[in-house]
Amino acid sequence: MIHASSASRVTRLTEYGPPPFLVEQVHLTVHLDVDPVLVQARLAIRRNPVATPTPDLLLDGQELEMVALRLDGREPAAGSWMIDAAGNLLLRQVPDRFILEVENRIHPARNTSLEGLYLSNGRFCTQCEAEGFRKITWYLDRPDVLARFTVTLVAPCRGYPVLLANGNRIAQGLLEGERHYATWEDPFPKPSYLFAMVAGDLAQISGEFTTRSGRRVALHFYTEAENADRCDHALSALKKAMAWDEIRFGREYDLDVYMIVAVNDFNMGAMENKGLNIFNSQYVLAKPSTATDEDFQAIESVIAHEYFHNWTGNRITCRDWFQLSLKEGLTVFRDQEFSADILSRGVQRIKDVRLLRTVQFAEDSGPTAHPVQPDTYIEINNFYTTTIYNKGAEVVRMLHTLLGEADFRRGMDLYFARHDGQAVTVDDFVRAMEEASQRDFSQFRLWYRQAGTPIVRAAMEYSVTTGMTTLTLSQETAPTPGQPDKKPLHIPVRVALLGTTGEHLPLQDNHSAPAPLEMVLELREARQAFHFVGQAGLEQRPVVSILRGFSAPVRLEMARTDAELAFLWARDTDPFNRWDAGQELLERWLFRWIGQYRQESRPSLVGDGALRAAFLATLNDPGLDPAMRALALTLPGEKYVLDRMEQANPDVVHAVREFLRRDLAEHLAPDLLRLYQRMVVETTGADGLAAETTGANGHHDESPLAAGRRALKNMALATLAAADQPEWYRLCEQQYHASHNMTDRMAALNVLVQAGATQAEAVLDDFYQQWRDDFLVTNKWLTLQASAPLAETFERVLALTRHPVFNPNNPNRVRALIGGFANGNPYCFHHPSGQGYRFLGEWIMRLDRSNSQIAARLLTPFNRWRFFEPGRSERMREVLQQIAEQATLSRDVGEMVGKILA
């Protein structure tokens, strides 16, 4: 049971009503020169004519100290206002239109929740999404109240030379007592969750972008002075994103300045506040010696994501928090498309789907499953999930697949034109797509309302006499919490038929002329058959390439032989399906071995001629993107395999996966070594490892091709080392010491640490001594140790929680160490003794008292506790019950643990 203190009111979509009052103008003055901070708010408020009339005004507030209150310049009469037990301000019998002036005090230095206004390394910054503004001043803190903000910041000159807020700066100057001020005006109405301010001693790194219409926009990045040399990549990424959005979606930036501030203490990845984005420093700061290729690519993606929010989130925002995917799912789709265009479309698609399958599919099949558009919540912070973001993006992508680029763009243009400056709903977005394309998406809307991952079953029949191919598709979605009965969805299934050499066969369906080589089938019913007229007399039946590009977020079930999968792995022209066929084949072998784990001997996978040939075909295909080859030769992860089991046993999964890695290393060692040596030359030049990876300008080559070559090289090194031979560990040690970029150094170090090689301790210590003062690099150092699948890892993690570098009040540190162990090390976290579960439970209860958002997100590894073998399942349940029975429990953790145990 959940302790009564954690019970909170459920918010329901069906109960939504327009706000009874609207705020037209906000004048905010924040005095950072006093402790506690003094906030003066002047609000122009009017009654909302379309809302249900109410005589009283209730303003949201939390942890605020009242100093003064005036209504139209006068103190309200005694008894006409009150602050309730939750901290909200109630004003009785207010007029239809009035000016409300409030002065209140807040304590940013004590704000460990990192919501509202808080201190990070002595600098003031804010995080107001979803409901943080109420920790700054009393307000109608909901997304459908849009107001124009003018903000004045007052602070000492010393220590706070930089004063930033949303919009354009309209005034600044000096004050008495070595103080100064800056006033910012945002001309665009916005909800309070998009408010931002920053004050501190920060270095400014500047650039400029000229829009398509000729407007010059100043670009400013702010960070610590010692990190000023790490912003060039982020600045370049921002310019790329601005140019891309103009071309792809016709969207120009609309202010005179665009600012990004990097901070180390942040609950999220980044925040799209209008004109003043606040970023977790790991998504801004990078240079080759401190950041990996994955870091560089993540920065490009997140920079683009927050910039794209300017139109899909800011100019058009959510009516209510049930519409969260309206901005997040749509913007994830946009940033995925951006990354696909500047990197590799096939590789990007694989990475996106891999995340979806590993995290979101598990979420969809567990106790916290919810629709893309939820219908209830207790704490909105708990709905910043992969379902809202990543599945939401897949729903938008399906609309794009069904409509094609031209009609989808017309729908986007209509959406922007119709709803600019408004707070709208998911249905408004879909309606714009319908009207622009003259299509009916009534059934498609179920993707937003129905939780769970559909299973699509496919069967193909072929007549050698007539050449007729029949593809029969059926769909089924399992019950999820609160939704026992599921309706058929509208599912786009992209298909092609391949001949014996991989050539495309025409898909003649008696309706299309000329016959296409690829087609999007629209599965709308529980079961449908699709017929294609082929060429009579083909010697062999065609091979179907189905769900190309992962055209829908479903689990595909189809009876295919190992030979068919090997054929697709080697010859499919669709990059995603080529990768997916190899993964299914490897997954199939993993489960075969899991099923016979207790046998003394197991068959060799790579010793099989056909499978060896499939491996080598990908390994040595010079025409295939190097990054694609690296992905195609990487085994399915342990967490993904565990989530596919009804009674998961992490010990068996780990042992079998390691056996397969060793089998690969032993049978393909000569080929892997040749590949590694070839990639060394291609990534470092003829001088070998001692040379720096260079591009045409003599600097580190960050191009997708160079990054792909490094990924392929390091995949080959990691696979070789799985043979557990000293020579390969020596090669890792050589690469570590000779490399000048973090990608290659981390790859070599990771192999040594994960294997527990004799060199690991010395190299780990060398790494720490070199980077001990670097916040982001030491996060990598923590995660590296926490994720090692070794017997001694748990004791090491315990020791690291007492290490000087670890700070439990910093979300990045917690994610690196505690999250790195619980989410990134299933073998050790799921130790049969339950020690990992108790460790995580203790940290969740501890963090719930200081930062409940982070505490709630740490519950994720417990989501599928019922699907493990009985011993582990019971131990997880015991820890969850202990958390649930705490005398005081936040809404964040209370809601999550209640759902997990239900």
Side-chain angles (χ1 to χ4, degrees), residues 80 171 176 198 254 363-367 399 408 432 437 459 539 558 598 621 676 861:
S80 66
E176 294 180 356
V198 172
D254 47 17
E363 186 172 88
D364 245 353
S365 62
L399 284 169
F408 184 82
S437 63
E539 293 182 2
M558 187 176 186
R598 298 193 182 280
D621 185 349
Y676 175 80

Side-chain angles (χ1 to χ4, degrees), residues 513-563:
L517 300 179
E518 184 181 77
M519 182 179 292
V520 176
L521 308 179
E522 299 191 27
L523 175 61
R524 294 172 176 267
E525 301 170 11
R527 182 182 178 88
Q528 282 176 255
F530 301 88
H531 305 282
F532 304 102
V533 179
Q535 301 174 12
L538 284 177
E539 293 182 2
Q540 291 183 327
R541 58 180 273 150
V543 176
V544 62
S545 173
I546 188 170
L547 209 68
R548 291 166 70 83
F550 200 66
S551 57
V554 303
R555 292 190 190 273
L556 176 66
E557 293 184 1
M558 187 176 186
R560 293 184 283 192
T561 66
D562 288 356

Side-chain angles (χ1 to χ4, degrees), residues 316 413-420 422 424 428 431-432 435:
I316 305 176
D413 288 346
L414 179 59
Y415 174 69
F416 290 133
R418 177 179 288 172
H419 297 298
D420 187 14
Q422 299 177 13
V424 300
D428 291 320
R431 189 177 299 114
E435 294 183 19

Side-chain angles (χ1 to χ4, degrees), residues 233 288 291-300 351 700-703 706-711 714 741-744:
H233 178 72
T292 65
D293 290 329
E294 288 187 356
D295 294 330
F296 278 100
Q297 291 172 9
I299 287 169
E300 282 185 322
K351 290 181 177 180
H700 180 77
D701 190 348
E702 298 170 12
S703 69
R709 287 169 173 166
R710 285 189 289 271
N714 291 321
N741 65 80
M742 185 58 72
T743 300
D744 288 340

Side-chain angles (χ1 to χ4, degrees), residues 723-738:
D724 194 23
Q725 296 296 320
E727 60 187 298
W728 307 131
Y729 296 145
R730 286 195 296 270
L731 187 59
C732 290
E733 188 177 16
Q734 178 188 357
Q735 175 169 307
Y736 170 84
H737 287 294

Side-chain angles (χ1 to χ4, degrees), residues 821-823 825-831 834-837 840 861-862 876:
F821 174 71
N823 289 303
N825 193 345
Y827 174 68
C828 289
F829 174 67
H830 293 290
H831 191 276
Q835 61 187 15
Y837 308 148
L840 183 60
F862 290 125
M876 279 190 269

